[in-house]
Amino acid sequence: MKTIGLLGGMSWESTVTYYRAINEGVKQALGGLHSAKIAMYSVDFEPIEKLQHAGNWDAMANILSEAALGVQAAGADFLLICTNTMHKVAPQVEAAIDIPLLHIGDAIATTLLQQNIQTVGLLGTAFTMEQDFYSDRLRDNHGLNVLIPNHHDRKIVHQVIYQELCLGKIEAQSKADYLRIINELAKRGAEGIILGCTEIGLLIQQTDTEVKLFDSTVIHAAKAVEYALPQIAID
């Protein structure tokens, strides 16, 4: 079994989901009392959130690169950045370490293509939805057509993430807003929706809508299990 490196804390609520999902996946694959071998560095999200909204991505790249080196030094065989938005600095982090980076966008794209999804809606922070580091990777590397909500709805999605979900708050009105936005994307041709922020799965589940949902946290964690157990066929 390979040791999985997790760079978490962005936010810690979603990192908990990663930890649980990875361990459950290993237990399902191997049985008995097996659990995952994990090396994790959990950052303080408050200063990172301030740097995000100040647009200081170089400073964030330095913080995450140093943390990634710590994960590598702890014995990790490969690394996951447990957040979608911070994959904006994935190239800098990848350049700083000697172990592979399992990119969340590639994990999601593989799952979408396996299910013959070509046009997908994307929900996430404003950075993830509006900047090109995420959607361009899906388009250019995997041939996917990516739709995002309109400006007003992007503001709603972003605010709910930072003002509620990252603080562990689950609000009924926000859930209703997200479901409306999901339906609007489906009307525009989205065959499925990427929950492209690792906290969104705390608010919206597949049982809430008939539109196919692709939870980035669950998919990323499952790919980590596959990578850690290359000799095991994961269903």
Side-chain angles (χ1 to χ4, degrees):
M1 184 194 305
K2 294 180 180 179
T3 298
I4 302 170
L6 298 181
L7 186 47
M10 300 166 282
S11 65
W12 70 261
E13 282 88 357
S14 61
T15 304
V16 170
T17 304
Y18 268 94
Y19 187 80
R20 180 183 299 111
I22 289 170
N23 277 292
E24 287 176 346
V26 168
K27 181 179 180 180
Q28 181 179 2
L30 299 181
L33 297 176
H34 283 288
S35 56
K37 294 171 63 178
I38 293 175
M40 182 169 68
Y41 190 111
S42 187
V43 302
D44 178 7
F45 189 41
E46 175 77 12
I48 289 176
E49 184 272 338
K50 286 183 167 52
L51 289 169
Q52 284 178 339
H53 287 91
N56 192 344
W57 296 97
D58 287 340
M60 287 180 280
N62 290 334
I63 292 171
L64 265 62
S65 294
E66 290 183 11
L69 286 169
V71 175
Q72 176 177 285
D77 293 303
F78 63 99
L79 178 70
L80 278 70
I81 303 174
C82 301
T83 163
N84 288 269
T85 296
M86 293 310 297
H87 275 74
K88 181 174 173 67
V89 300
Q92 295 96 311
V93 174
E94 195 168 20
I97 57 179
D98 298 319
I99 57 177
L101 173 69
L102 185 56
H103 196 287
I104 197 169
D106 296 338
I108 292 167
T110 299
T111 301
L112 290 169
L113 293 173
Q114 286 172 344
Q115 297 194 29
N116 297 315
I117 301 291
Q118 291 293 328
T119 299
V120 65
L122 173 62
L123 300 182
T125 67
F127 313 111
T128 299
M129 292 185 289
E130 296 173 359
Q131 298 185 23
D132 59 10
F133 70 93
Y134 198 93
S135 57
D136 277 8
R137 190 179 186 101
L138 298 179
R139 292 188 185 106
D140 298 342
N141 292 14
H142 303 283
L144 293 166
N145 180 32
V146 182
L147 306 177
I148 61 173
N150 62 41
H151 177 72
H152 175 263
D153 286 345
R154 293 199 301 272
K155 287 182 64 176
I156 292 173
V157 172
H158 182 86
Q159 289 172 355
V160 168
I161 291 168
Y162 281 97
Q163 297 176 13
E164 298 174 18
L165 300 181
C166 285
L167 298 173
K169 298 179 181 178
I170 307 298
E171 302 290 348
Q173 182 57 55
S174 297
K175 185 170 189 171
D177 287 337
Y178 268 53
L179 291 173
R180 176 186 60 76
I181 293 167
I182 286 169
N183 287 334
E184 289 295 329
L185 289 168
K187 289 177 183 178
R188 289 169 51 195
E191 302 165 88
I193 305 293
I194 298 172
L195 305 186
C197 175
T198 49
E199 284 81 18
I200 296 177
L202 302 172
L203 181 67
I204 299 294
Q205 291 81 43
Q206 187 61 74
T207 53
D208 297 319
T209 176
E210 294 182 357
V211 182
K212 287 186 179 180
L213 302 181
F214 295 87
D215 189 326
S216 59
T217 303
V218 173
I219 292 170
H220 205 197
K223 292 298 180 184
V225 174
E226 291 181 14
Y227 206 94
L229 303 173
Q231 76 280 15
I232 304 294
I234 307 296
D235 293 331

